[in-house]
Amino acid sequence: MDRMARRSSTTTAASSLLLHLLGLLSIILLHPTTTSSAIRLQKPITTATSSVVVPSFREAPAFRNGGTCTSDDVIHIVMPLDGNYIRGTMAAVLSILQHSTCPENVSFHFLSVHLDPEISSLINSTFPFLKFRAYQFDPTRVRDKISKSIRQALDQPLNYARIYMADILPGDVRRVIYLDSDVVVVDDIAKLWCADLGGEVLAAPEYCHANFTSYFTEAFWSDPALAAAFEGRRPCYFNTGVMVVDVDRWRSGGYTQKVEEWMAVQKQKRIYHLGSLPPVLLVFAGNIKAVDHRWNQHGLGGDNLEGRCRGLHPGPISLLHWSGKGKPWLRLDSRRPCTVDYLWAPYDLYRSSRIALEE
């Protein structure tokens, strides 16, 4: 019996070691160092406006346009910027640039509660050639409108910034791709940028097989006046972490105010549980332009309560999205990764990745 126990323990340890080695191998094969500057390390930063210690990153290679690119084809990408998720943001930016035919045409717009000069300096030192601008989102604009949800992270003001981006961005930014910080893009982002909105305000992958009624409470569906919001529509779930948005139409249609009106209803009568998603569904579900599911392989972070591992959905993939509680950098650091987390690892510029390999 004792011999069998030792044998089982040895097998388990060997399997764990094999899994770890496979993860490290994926980093080496899929994300080789291409320039000597790519291994330069920076000192950790503690921001002046918060207690968040910003990690340090290797400098990314310079990505240049292909011969077919023109300077007029600017792609505007909006992302939230938070010290707690900066590692995910850096990986997302790298993945976009690495797979773009015209990476110099991509312009990033970061929304942040705190405009920390140290964070901007960190982005500049990691991506010296990146075109970006950071904008401050005033949390007081939404704080009294937020209702408690099933997970604290969903209640942070920055999670609602996407609703206000039409008011924050300059007037000459007329169309954007909005992306969450927990994504990596494995295709040319220009393909998503060129999506035909068909006259709609936004485009996103739709999931009509999902149980749409579950996103709202019994109090909502039992009230005829509230449930009538979807009359004349065939509403389907879509994830607001990946959207192509006609900012001009959003502004002219007053859609920020329309979303806020549903948030006010939520404060008086609890009609949903999931933070910033349901009020956007209430306004847009059934009235968006659907794009291919390949552009949001979502749910890789597991559910919102436990973050259990999930596999990939069948079909081609252009974007991987770790929506849910589990984030790949946290699971990798804890040495309890899910298999899909090794697809994120090659884009991780966090300095410990290189140190671990060298050791």
Side-chain angles (χ1 to χ4, degrees):
M1 183 68 70
D2 184 56
R3 181 181 302 173
M4 292 178 62
R6 287 198 301 270
R7 183 181 301 171
S8 176
S9 176
T10 302
T11 302
T12 301
S15 299
S16 178
L17 178 60
L18 178 60
L19 185 62
H20 183 64
L21 290 174
L22 287 173
L24 294 179
L25 182 61
S26 72
I27 297 174
I28 297 171
L29 294 177
L30 297 178
H31 187 52
T33 301
T34 56
T35 66
S36 60
S37 63
I39 61 174
R40 188 172 71 187
L41 306 183
Q42 301 118 18
K43 296 179 180 179
I45 299 171
T46 302
T47 63
T49 55
S50 71
S51 59
V52 174
V53 177
V54 181
S56 57
F57 298 89
R58 307 188 307 277
E59 183 181 314
F63 297 95
R64 300 302 185 186
N65 280 357
T68 60
C69 302
T70 65
S71 58
D72 297 331
D73 300 326
V74 180
I75 298 173
H76 296 283
I77 296 178
V78 178
M79 298 182 69
L81 185 63
D82 184 332
N84 292 312
Y85 288 84
I86 188 69
R87 192 168 164 187
T89 302
M90 293 296 199
V93 171
L94 176 63
S95 71
I96 292 167
L97 298 177
Q98 185 168 309
H99 295 285
S100 292
T101 302
C102 305
E104 294 178 275
N105 289 5
V106 181
S107 179
F108 288 86
H109 305 264
F110 296 116
L111 308 180
S112 180
V113 171
H114 302 291
L115 289 183
D116 293 315
E118 294 89 349
I119 295 290
S120 294
S121 176
L122 184 64
I123 296 173
N124 273 319
S125 61
T126 307
F127 299 101
F129 304 98
L130 190 70
K131 296 178 181 177
F132 78 93
R133 181 177 173 185
Y135 308 80
Q136 186 165 19
F137 171 61
D138 183 1
T140 62
R141 185 167 184 181
V142 72
R143 186 166 284 138
D144 63 348
K145 299 179 178 68
I146 296 176
S147 301
K148 185 177 178 60
S149 65
I150 62 173
R151 184 159 62 92
Q152 186 177 4
L154 301 177
D155 301 337
Q156 300 307 307
L158 189 59
N159 199 42
Y160 290 79
R162 73 197 80 190
I163 297 169
Y164 298 90
M165 61 183 175
D167 301 333
I168 299 171
L169 297 172
D172 60 348
V173 177
R174 307 178 64 183
R175 178 187 176 110
V176 303
I177 296 174
Y178 178 88
L179 297 176
D180 276 345
S181 298
D182 51 2
V183 307
V184 293
V185 178
V186 293
D187 201 347
D188 192 341
I189 196 68
K191 297 177 183 178
L192 180 59
W193 176 255
C194 293
D196 178 15
L197 269 65
E200 302 292 356
V201 178
L202 64 85
E206 279 187 317
Y207 302 91
C208 295
H209 63 278
N211 182 8
F212 187 79
T213 60
S214 66
Y215 290 94
F216 303 94
T217 65
E218 180 62 27
F220 173 84
W221 293 113
S222 63
D223 187 325
L226 296 177
F230 292 116
E231 284 186 2
R233 293 193 261 167
R234 294 185 59 189
C236 295
Y237 163 75
F238 65 93
N239 183 281
T240 55
V242 179
M243 301 184 292
V244 183
V245 181
D246 186 326
V247 183
D248 275 350
R249 284 182 178 271
W250 185 293
R251 291 177 180 129
S252 62
Y255 285 98
T256 296
Q257 182 179 353
K258 292 177 181 179
V259 175
E260 285 183 330
E261 289 171 357
W262 280 111
M263 293 168 65
V265 174
Q266 165 74 351
K267 294 287 285 188
Q268 299 173 359
K269 186 175 184 178
R270 192 164 183 81
I271 59 174
Y272 54 78
H273 299 297
L274 276 176
S276 64
L277 168 65
V280 176
L281 293 178
L282 282 161
V283 174
F284 289 106
N287 288 330
I288 73 168
K289 178 68 173 181
V291 299
D292 197 288
H293 287 177
R294 68 187 301 150
W295 285 105
N296 197 349
Q297 177 84 208
H298 68 291
L300 302 183
D303 59 275
N304 277 301
L305 296 177
E306 299 183 22
R308 294 177 179 175
C309 293
R310 290 181 178 174
L312 296 173
H313 307 297
I317 300 171
S318 294
L319 183 147
L320 297 156
H321 186 187
W322 279 261
S323 57
K325 185 177 181 180
K327 302 306 172 189
W329 56 92
L330 297 178
R331 296 194 296 213
L332 286 163
D333 284 353
S334 68
R335 299 187 179 182
R336 292 182 295 178
C338 299
T339 303
V340 294
D341 297 339
Y342 292 117
L343 299 175
W344 180 89
Y347 303 98
D348 186 14
L349 290 171
Y350 183 51
R351 66 172 182 170
S352 289
S353 297
R354 176 59 57 187
I355 292 171
L357 289 175
E358 292 176 344
E359 292 177 347

